[in-house]
Every structure is written in C-alpha cells, then in structure tokens.
Amino acid sequence: QVHLVESGGGSVPAGGSLRLSCKARGSTYSRNCMGWFRQAPGKQREGVAVILIGGTEKNYAGSVKGRFTVSQDNENTVYLQMNNLKSEDTAMYYCAATRWAWNCVIGGSIQEYLYWGQGTQVTVSS
C-alpha cells in the first residue's frame, strides 16, 4: 500500500512559479515510477511529468517541457518545479505511483497508476 500527499499548490499570476511536493509512504516496490498529472474542469486527466525513482529517467508533456522540472530528493519525496506558468496550466494537480517502470512515460497507461494523492489546486491568472 502507498499513501501520497501533495502540497504546494496556490494562485499565482501568469509568469509566476510554484513548486509542488509529493510525500510518499508505504511500499517502495509499488512506486518505481512517480508521476504528476493534472485535470482541468471539463477535461481529461493528463500526464505532466514522470520520473523513475532512483534513476535519471524523466519524461515531460510537450506543453510543459522547458518550464516544468520533476525531481526527487530521496525515495519518499518528489517535486514538480513549475516556472513561467500560463493560464492554461490551471488545474488540479495529482501525484501518482505505479510499480511498472515500463509505464514511466508520458502517454503511458493512467490505469496502471494504482496510487493517487488527493490533489492540490494550481490557479494561474492572466
């Protein structure tokens, strides 16, 4: 079992920055890959960034590449640094974990992420 808790969301003007944190507890075997996803009202949940825990592999959605950076400081905390935020980045952001390293890519199966946090809201005003 894995428990995930996000923090760091908020409201910022366009061009601003935020850093989201995701603290994980529980089975490390079940979270070989951690991902950040977002869902805006009326839209499908989409992958933003994923990171292979303990490795160097990271993957980003095209819409955030060059602006967002995913990182980890240990096996238990993953971050999403978001710079040059745009109004279209407004969404609920979720942290999720999967045991499958092969699925650690943007566009991979969301269904394979068995563990999810409660989400943290990011609002960017134009």
Side-chain angles (χ1 to χ4, degrees), residues 1-4 22-35 51-55 72 74-78 95-101 104 112-115:
Q1 194 71 5
V2 176
H3 184 60
L4 304 173
C22 175
K23 293 188 177 181
R25 288 189 289 110
S27 169
T28 56
Y29 176 73
S30 297
R31 45 184 169 98
N32 290 314
C33 172
M34 303 268 301
I51 182 168
L52 198 62
I53 298 302
Q72 61 181 77
N74 52 48
E75 285 189 343
N76 298 321
T77 307
V78 173
C95 174
T98 176
R99 63 185 287 188
W100 305 117
C104 208
E112 296 295 341
Y113 286 84
L114 298 183
Y115 305 101

Side-chain angles (χ1 to χ4, degrees), residues 32-85:
N32 290 314
C33 172
M34 303 268 301
W36 285 98
F37 296 79
R38 67 186 181 187
Q39 188 166 19
K43 294 188 177 181
Q44 287 189 331
R45 191 169 296 190
E46 62 174 355
V48 174
V50 295
I51 182 168
L52 198 62
I53 298 302
T56 59
E57 293 182 33
K58 304 174 184 179
N59 201 218
Y60 298 92
S63 59
V64 307
K65 198 171 293 184
R67 300 188 297 121
F68 290 12
T69 303
V70 62
S71 63
Q72 61 181 77
D73 65 357
N74 52 48
E75 285 189 343
N76 298 321
T77 307
V78 173
Y79 302 96
L80 184 68
Q81 178 67 43
M82 306 185 295
N83 297 329
N84 190 22
L85 282 160

